[in-house]
Every structure is written in C-alpha cells, then in structure tokens.
Amino acid sequence: MSVEKAKEHLEKYGFGERVRVFEQSSATVELAAQALGCAPALIAKSLTFSVNGEPIMIVTAGDTKIDNAKYKAEFGAKAKMLSAEDVDRLIGHSVGGVCPFGINEGVRVFLDSSLKRFEKVFPACGSGNTAVELSIAELERCSGYEKWIDVCKGAEL
C-alpha cells in the first residue's frame, strides 16, 4: 500500500513512471546501490526523528551520518530516531521504504545539504524494493520540504 501512496504522490508531478521495483531488496543504502548499480552516496536516505513529540524526516546522502552537534543546533534537541513501529504509524511508510512521497499529514521534511553535491539521487518509494531517480530540483518540487539544512557528517567529497 505504501508504494501505491508514494507512486500516486509522484504522479502528481509527472514522476510516477520513474518508480523502479526490484526483485531484490533495496532496503538499505548498500542494497539500493547494488540494485541500481550506483555509488551508495547517490542513495537519498530518509531518516525519521521525533522533535518535541512531532515526527520529522531528514533526507540525506547515502554516505552520511547525523552529526549530533549540528542536529542539536538546528532543532534545539538531541537526535531521537523513531522506532520502527513509530515510523510506520507516524510517517506512513515502513523502515526500508521510507521516503517523503505520500507520507502522513504533519510530517515536516528537511533536505540535508549533503545531497547538493549531486545532479540526481535515488530515494526509496514506499517499500524495501523500490527507488525513483530524481534531480535535486525535482526532489525539491515533490518532497514538500520545509528547508535545506546541514546536519550531517561523513560525506565523501
């Protein structure tokens, strides 16, 4: 069901036909990179957190990790990832397929500056065996993002 929600969302922007479904899992950065035949950094991973009891999503490059000091400076709180059960309930997709497309109302979405290194990236699309190819401008258009932030470390420059 999550794949359909995500694809329906992307169809509003003309990107629905780009959704790729794999026979193998693409539920992790490494598996997605293998399925797509690309560098792990190009996988746009969607990380979910609770800030003051509200769910947020940060879409980052696949080669990064959250920098706790930068996160705290941005959100005024320690990074607290959602549990798998809370991700499904609060975001609307299950772990492995989390993406900013077709998510529940009220989820704030942020794009991390680590993505700006690339012309195109590959977010998941609602399940652990899907992805969609988007330019950064297209990701901006269809993600419903609030703003660009800088909360990651470890990017391969």
Side-chain angles (χ1 to χ4, degrees):
M1 177 152 56
S2 284
V3 176
E4 289 81 17
K5 280 177 32 182
K7 188 172 182 179
E8 183 178 299
H9 177 88
L10 289 168
E11 284 172 352
K12 295 176 193 171
Y13 299 90
F15 306 138
E17 76 286 347
R18 293 191 198 174
V19 175
R20 295 176 61 183
V21 180
F22 308 106
E23 290 190 23
Q24 72 268 34
S25 175
S26 60
T28 66
V29 168
E30 292 76 19
L31 291 172
Q34 287 174 8
L36 288 157
C38 71
L42 293 172
I43 304 303
K45 62 183 177 181
S46 298
L47 304 175
T48 56
F49 300 88
S50 176
V51 175
N52 300 319
E54 299 296 322
I56 68 164
M57 178 184 299
I58 303 172
V59 184
T60 75
D63 62 346
T64 63
K65 295 183 189 277
I66 294 295
D67 180 306
N68 289 318
K70 288 180 177 181
Y71 182 99
K72 189 169 186 176
E74 179 68 41
F75 296 106
K78 183 179 176 184
K80 180 179 186 252
M81 291 194 83
L82 295 177
S83 69
E85 297 79 25
D86 284 344
V87 170
D88 197 25
R89 181 175 57 84
L90 297 173
I91 305 299
H93 297 306
S94 297
V95 171
V98 177
C99 61
F101 321 121
I103 58 176
N104 294 341
E105 296 242 355
V107 177
R108 296 169 62 200
V109 176
F110 301 89
L111 301 179
D112 186 75
S113 60
S114 61
L115 295 166
K116 289 186 174 184
R117 299 173 284 158
F118 308 112
E119 290 182 29
K120 63 182 178 181
V121 292
F122 299 91
C125 200
S127 75
N129 69 329
T130 57
V132 61
E133 180 178 335
L134 297 170
S135 71
I136 297 303
E138 290 168 341
L139 179 62
E140 287 178 327
R141 271 185 47 217
C142 66
S143 67
Y145 81 108
E146 189 170 310
K147 68 178 185 172
W148 283 96
I149 60 175
D150 178 11
V151 295
C152 288
K153 63 182 176 183
E156 299 169 5
L157 299 176

